[in-house]
Every structure is written in structure tokens, then in C-alpha cells.
Amino acid sequence: MRKFGSERIAKVMDRLGFEDGERIESSMISKSIERAQKKVEENNFGIRKHLLEYDDVMNKQRTVIYEKRRHALMGERIGMDISNVIWDRVVKIVEGNDYQDVKESFFEILSMEVPFDQDEYENGNKQELEERAFQSAMATFKRKTERIQSDAYPVIKQVYETQGQQYQFILVPITDGRRVVQLRANLKEAYETECKNVVKEFEKFVLLSIIDDDWKENLRQLDELRHSVQNASYEQKDPLLIYKLESAKLWDTMIDDMNNRIASFLMRGQIPVSMVQQQPVQEAKAPEQHTPRYREQKDDFDEQRSAQQSAASQDTREPQQQHRQPIVHEKMPRPNDPCPCGSGKKFKNCHGRGVR
């Protein structure tokens, strides 16, 4: 059977024009190419699958962050988001700390005193204390926003009534004690709402700026983590599993820092006292203080300028140099001209002898 099969294969190969061994070598090459191509495709599929798994971890975080940004940007649920941030900070401070740490954390993050004493904290119900502290924190935040309105409205009212036709927007300074930010608010809307839109712009600015800062930092850390976990394969560990675990820790750290910064800025935000007190005074005294001083400076400048012009036009040269005449040399006689001495001889034969 083998002999018959070999002979038959040989006849077929001769009929098709193949030389001895050519068909066998061709099929072997084709199969090896197919195996190599299959292995490459499987490898590429695994790479794409891992990339999608890594991106899926980041995409879940991105969905939550973008939802927070959309609420802050469009003004949807912004009050509820702020309430959730303050509630989260209160719960985190009350649980798992001693009374001294609670006092320091309340002052550092929420800028307020603890609404309960040490005995209540050690022996009371923690849930009731959390609810009491939350209500106290919300009342403090409401007083802060009302103070921003009361401080900003007189200035905005004055600007709108005197220069409302010239300006559409106004910049309102807000500080947390560390830095000053300029809030851009619609002047007409601020006047009509008695600066309620200024408070809204303040809340929106705090949420957006802090969310963006922390999210950018988290993206940088995730990128570094993705490169560092590849070394886990040498320890017979799954890099993707380690990436998921470590990214969850980074997410918790980012949310904790984000809520701390948001709560701290919102609870400390106010219009600088110096600007509130000095702005109306400066506007009222500006014509009396600066106009005389401007005239004095202008008179001094005109006097100095006239002195410089007179000094520049004055001739400071010496009198002898002013009337000095240029030296004129007489023309040299030609060799055949009469000699200037009057001897009657030619110049070349008299005083011009030896002169060339």
C-alpha cells in the first residue's frame, strides 16, 4: 500500500509539473507559515485583550469623574454633591479617631469647632454625633455663603448702577487664606440675584478645579503603575490583578484628598476683608488724593523738560572758538611764474629753486 501510494503521488506530481520533493517541501512551508501566523495572531489578540482590561479599569474611574464634572459644570445636583462631600468628611473624622484628633481634623478641614464634648464623644452614639456635626457644618457653610453675598453685593450694586452699560462681567476675589482666585460672574445677573450667582460660581469653580487637579495626578500615577506592574510577571504574579488592586488604592486616596480639599476651600472661602473695606474708600477718595499729586508731578516734569531744552539750545563753547576763522593757505606759484619776491626772475630760478 505504501509503495502504491508513493507511486501514485509521484505520477500526480509529474502530471502537475512538480519535480521530486517540491510538493512535500511546499506543504511543509505552508503549514509552518500557518502555524506562525496563528501564533502571532494569538499573541496580538492577547495583547489587545490585556490593553482593554487595563483600559477598563481606568474607564470605570473616568466615568465617575466625568459625572462629577458634568454635575459641577451644568449646575446639576451641585448642592447635593457638596452635602455629600461634607457628610463624608464628618463621618470619616468622627469614626476611628480619638477626641483630640477629631478636634484637630474639624478645625483643619471644616474650619469649625467640634459641636460635642469629650464625654459625649466617648460615651454617646456615634451616629447621632455624626448627624449633629453634619447639621452644624452645613449651617456654618450657609453662613459663609451668606457672608460672601453680603460682602459682594454693595460693590456689585455700585458698579452696576454707575457702569452697568460698560461691563458685562465682573471679577470677584475669593480667598481661603492661602490663595486668591478671581471668579468671573455676570454683572447684571449678580445684581438681580443679589450675588446668589456669585456663590454658585464659587461652588462650581472649587469643584471643577479640584476635581481636575486630582484627576490629572491620578492619571499620571496610573500610567506609572501600569509600567511598574509588568515586573510582577518575573515573580510569577499576574500584573493585571496587581494593577487592579493598586489602582483601587490610588482611587480611594484621590477621592479622600479631593473631598478634603473641596470641603476645606468651601468652608474657608470668603471675600478678602482688605478689599471689602478699601474698595469703596478708594473710589470715593480717588479724585482728592491722586489729582493734586498728578498735577505736582506734571509741573515738575514740565519744569525739568524746559530746563533740559534750554540747556540743549545753549552754546557752551569758548568765545575764542566761536570767532576763530579757518586757516587759508596761498596757492603755490608755478615753476615758470614770476617769483613773488619781486626780483623779476622765474620762481624756479629764484625762491622756488629746489622745490618740486
Side-chain angles (χ1 to χ4, degrees):
M1 292 295 293
R2 291 182 180 176
K3 185 175 182 182
F4 175 78
S6 300
E7 291 177 355
R8 190 170 183 178
I9 291 174
K11 289 180 180 180
V12 173
M13 292 176 61
D14 293 337
R15 189 182 303 171
L16 295 176
F18 286 95
E19 297 182 357
D20 295 342
E22 185 175 355
R23 182 174 177 82
I24 298 175
E25 294 177 359
S26 177
S27 62
M28 292 175 60
I29 293 175
S30 299
K31 291 181 180 179
S32 63
I33 293 175
E34 291 177 359
R35 288 194 297 269
Q37 185 175 359
K38 184 178 180 180
K39 187 176 295 184
V40 171
E41 290 177 354
E42 290 176 353
N43 188 28
N44 292 338
F45 176 78
I47 293 175
R48 289 193 297 269
K49 182 179 178 181
H50 278 77
L51 289 177
L52 292 175
E53 291 174 344
Y54 280 106
D55 291 340
D56 185 62
V57 176
M58 186 182 298
N59 187 56
K60 292 179 180 179
Q61 298 182 5
R62 185 184 295 110
T63 302
V64 178
I65 290 296
Y66 281 19
E67 186 72 12
K68 289 179 177 292
R69 292 194 79 258
R70 188 179 66 84
H71 290 166
L73 187 62
M74 305 303 296
E76 301 176 2
R77 292 183 48 190
I78 189 170
M80 185 178 297
D81 289 343
I82 293 176
S83 299
N84 292 335
V85 169
I86 295 177
W87 170 258
D88 179 77
R89 293 301 89 191
V90 169
V91 173
K92 187 175 180 63
I93 293 173
V94 173
E95 294 181 353
N97 294 318
D98 56 15
Y99 184 72
Q100 187 64 29
D101 292 337
V102 170
K103 290 180 60 177
E104 294 177 358
S105 298
F106 263 86
F107 183 76
E108 180 181 357
I109 299 175
L110 299 176
S111 186
M112 57 178 289
E113 297 291 338
V114 181
F116 45 80
D117 55 24
Q118 186 173 359
D119 184 65
E120 291 176 330
Y121 178 75
E122 294 177 353
N123 302 320
N125 189 348
K126 292 295 181 65
Q127 294 181 354
E128 295 179 358
L129 297 179
E130 292 169 359
E131 182 63 27
R132 189 198 305 178
F134 171 70
Q135 296 298 334
S136 178
M138 292 301 298
T140 302
F141 175 66
K142 185 178 180 181
R143 288 195 299 269
K144 291 283 187 180
T145 56
E146 291 176 350
R147 183 177 179 182
I148 292 176
Q149 290 181 236
S150 61
D151 290 342
Y153 183 67
V155 179
I156 289 180
K157 181 181 179 181
Q158 180 181 2
V159 173
Y160 180 79
E161 292 177 352
T162 58
Q163 303 175 354
Q165 302 297 329
Q166 302 178 10
Y167 302 104
Q168 183 179 1
F169 296 94
I170 188 171
L171 296 179
V172 181
I174 301 290
T175 180
D176 64 340
R178 298 178 180 177
R179 60 170 181 164
V180 179
V181 297
Q182 301 291 339
L183 301 179
R184 185 172 180 265
N186 187 283
L187 179 59
K188 182 179 180 181
E189 185 179 356
Y191 175 76
E192 293 176 349
T193 61
E194 297 183 356
C195 293
K196 290 182 180 179
N197 72 319
V198 174
V199 175
K200 186 176 181 180
E201 292 296 329
F202 165 61
E203 296 172 349
K204 183 186 299 185
F205 171 82
V206 172
L207 289 175
L208 285 176
S209 60
I210 294 178
I211 288 174
D212 290 346
D213 289 344
D214 283 358
W215 175 241
K216 288 187 291 186
E217 178 64 20
N218 185 68
L219 288 178
R220 185 189 64 81
Q221 293 179 353
L222 286 176
D223 186 65
E224 294 180 353
L225 176 63
R226 183 172 176 177
H227 290 85
S228 62
V229 296
Q230 301 302 324
N231 297 327
S233 59
Y234 297 107
E235 301 177 1
Q236 303 299 322
K237 297 180 181 179
D238 186 7
L240 180 60
L241 180 60
I242 297 178
Y243 179 78
K244 291 181 178 180
L245 295 175
E246 294 298 327
S247 63
K249 295 179 181 179
L250 291 177
W251 171 262
D252 293 338
T253 303
M254 182 194 69
I255 294 297
D256 188 67
D257 179 74
M258 183 186 301
N259 290 340
N260 280 339
R261 294 178 60 192
I262 291 175
S264 178
F265 204 115
L266 289 175
M267 299 297 285
R268 285 184 169 84
Q270 61 181 352
I271 296 179
V273 179
S274 58
M275 296 184 182
V276 175
Q277 295 177 350
Q278 296 178 6
Q279 183 68 19
V281 176
Q282 290 179 355
E283 291 181 355
K285 293 185 177 181
E288 300 178 2
Q289 290 180 351
H290 297 286
T291 302
R293 180 57 182 164
Y294 169 75
R295 291 176 180 174
E296 293 177 1
Q297 293 178 351
K298 186 175 183 301
D299 294 340
D300 295 340
F301 176 76
D302 293 339
E303 183 178 354
Q304 294 177 1
R305 185 175 181 181
S306 60
Q308 292 176 355
Q309 290 178 351
S310 61
S313 61
Q314 183 179 359
D315 194 351
T316 58
R317 295 177 299 174
E318 297 179 358
Q320 296 180 356
Q321 294 178 352
Q322 295 180 9
H323 303 285
R324 181 177 298 176
Q325 299 295 329
I327 299 175
V328 179
H329 295 278
E330 296 182 357
K331 186 178 179 180
M332 178 70 70
R334 295 182 179 180
N336 293 325
D337 290 343
C339 185
C341 67
S343 62
K345 298 181 180 179
K346 293 183 178 180
F347 180 70
K348 65 179 181 181
N349 296 327
C350 189
H351 288 83
R353 184 178 301 173
V355 178
R356 296 182 180 179

